Amino acid sequence: MKHLRWPSWMPVDPYILLLLGTVGLAALLPARGTTADVASGASTAAIAFLFFLYGARLSTREALDGLKHWRLHITVLACTFVVFPLLGLAARGLVPVLLTDPLYQGLLFLTLVPSTIQSSIAFTSIARGNVPAAICAGSFSSLVGIVLTPLLAAALLGGAVGGFSADSVVKIVLQLLVPFVAGQLLRRWIGAFVARHRKALGLVDRGSILLVVYTAFSAGMVQGIWHRVSPARLAGLLAVEVVLLALMLALTWYGARALGFGRADRIAIQFAGSKKSLAAGLPMASVLFGAHASLAVLPLMLFHQMQLMVCAVIAKRRSRDPREDATSPAGTAASRTAVGTGTRPG
């Protein structure tokens, strides 16, 4: 969104303000009745189209090249689906001191969601990291999460996930995985079009997420469940999420160094392994939690905004590292791919 001339010193992406504005709109003018049904159907279609675009963008060559870097992808997947959930389980001890049980369930669900794609690529590009690895790591995490996240939610959340069943997994696969695969299959014919209209389709990406946010928070307003979250509880949730993000940023950076990864790979691991996807988490929550989805996604909403702001600052600082650090083959490939992808936070 460079055309908006957003101040370079501001760590807050304009999109975060749009997310907050969408929540405010849902609070003032929530969708009800037939309007809510239409908004729900539109949000489902929008997320399916979003994952279709993800599939159309991912180059098969990039995916095959990325598969060669299996140690990095295993590290990212371990951070996303092992370390994160373990920290989420450890947070159970904060109930009821800092968190209510519903907020804790939302926090635990947050730790089970796959990593982001767009923002992981964007921040890795800004920091001059291994962009091809970030592309593949984010995509692989999303694909694995389509099946693994519902299974982990059923195992760890139990009765809280009232909507979980084999049918719910099928719904998630149909909404996320099938469009992604369709995009991959059609990439041969539409890949060039998607590349030429990257900016316009980027607006579709973000608009899709805004629509899902509006639908989820409208349902919460209609049900009146937001009265169950006091300012003190909200502050407690924010404090817990600050600690969670700080731990994951530190573990991914210093852990990757201990595993012998170079600078470019460590950057990709940090940004792909420490973040959670709002685009994937919202539709999953709507299927798994049903009527209680709006409260369940509150921790994910807050974490998403926090991670964008913090990672934007980190990426800018990493970009000022000595240029000779980026002269490795991985760094050179990252620079070439960054030019071609034209990525940005999302």
Side-chain angles (χ1 to χ4, degrees):
M1 289 192 174
K2 293 182 180 179
H3 60 282
L4 294 178
R5 298 186 183 277
W6 196 249
S8 59
W9 52 268
M10 286 286 288
V12 182
D13 188 281
Y15 188 58
I16 295 175
L17 299 182
L18 289 176
L19 283 170
L20 294 175
T22 301
V23 173
L25 178 62
L28 296 174
L29 298 171
R32 302 173 184 271
T34 303
T35 303
D37 294 336
V38 172
S40 178
S43 65
T44 299
I47 289 296
F49 184 60
L50 176 62
F51 273 77
F52 173 80
L53 290 178
Y54 285 162
R57 285 175 182 152
L58 180 61
S59 166
T60 304
R61 179 180 176 183
E62 289 172 348
L64 293 176
D65 289 343
L67 283 173
K68 300 175 184 177
H69 211 345
W70 60 269
R71 287 183 65 246
L72 184 147
H73 299 310
I74 289 177
T75 301
V76 171
L77 290 174
C79 291
T80 304
F81 297 113
V82 178
V83 179
F84 251 119
L86 288 175
L87 292 175
L89 290 173
R92 178 68 190 179
L94 301 176
V95 180
V97 180
L98 286 178
L99 303 174
T100 62
D101 195 60
L103 285 179
Y104 169 71
Q105 291 168 4
L107 180 71
L108 183 55
F109 173 72
L110 147 71
T111 66
L112 309 179
V113 171
S115 179
T116 61
I117 298 178
Q118 283 182 299
S119 56
S120 295
I121 299 169
F123 291 133
T124 300
S125 175
I126 292 170
R128 295 184 289 111
N130 189 339
V131 177
I135 293 172
C136 295
S139 301
F140 295 159
S141 177
S142 293
L143 292 176
V144 170
I146 289 173
V147 176
L148 192 55
T149 295
L151 295 178
L152 288 173
L156 301 181
L157 287 166
V161 190
F164 180 82
S165 63
D167 182 59
S168 65
V169 176
V170 172
K171 287 181 179 178
I172 292 172
V173 168
L174 289 176
Q175 188 177 357
L176 306 182
L177 180 58
V178 171
F180 183 93
V181 173
Q184 272 285 286
L185 294 176
L186 295 175
R187 189 181 188 281
R188 176 180 178 182
W189 296 279
I190 66 174
F193 175 85
V194 171
R196 287 196 306 269
H197 298 83
R198 187 184 306 114
K199 290 184 179 180
L201 293 175
L203 297 177
V204 175
D205 285 0
R206 296 187 168 202
S208 300
I209 297 175
L210 292 177
L211 180 58
V212 177
V213 169
Y214 175 75
T215 303
F217 277 77
S218 289
M221 290 302 301
V222 172
Q223 296 160 12
I225 63 175
W226 300 114
H227 298 296
R228 297 161 52 189
V229 184
S230 67
R233 293 297 188 185
L234 188 60
L237 175 62
L238 284 170
V240 172
E241 293 196 341
V242 167
V243 174
L244 177 63
L245 180 59
L247 283 174
M248 288 307 302
L249 287 171
L251 287 171
T252 49
W253 182 253
Y254 294 106
R257 183 172 68 178
L259 291 173
F261 288 100
R263 175 191 177 277
D265 288 345
R266 289 167 65 194
I267 289 173
I269 290 171
Q270 183 177 53
F271 289 130
S274 66
K275 303 215 304 306
K276 293 295 183 176
S277 173
L278 188 66
L282 285 175
M284 288 182 183
S286 65
V287 173
L288 297 175
F289 289 91
H292 302 289
S294 48
L295 185 58
V297 300
L298 178 60
L300 178 59
M301 276 281 301
L302 296 175
F303 191 84
H304 179 267
Q305 296 168 36
M306 188 185 304
Q307 71 187 12
L308 288 182
M309 290 186 286
V310 173
C311 288
V313 174
I314 292 175
K316 289 178 182 178
R317 291 185 177 179
R318 296 259 187 265
S319 69
R320 295 193 290 267
D321 288 348
R323 291 299 303 181
E324 56 267 21
D325 287 347
T327 56
S328 65
T332 304
S335 300
R336 288 198 303 267
T337 305
V339 174
T341 55
T343 52
R344 63 171 183 250

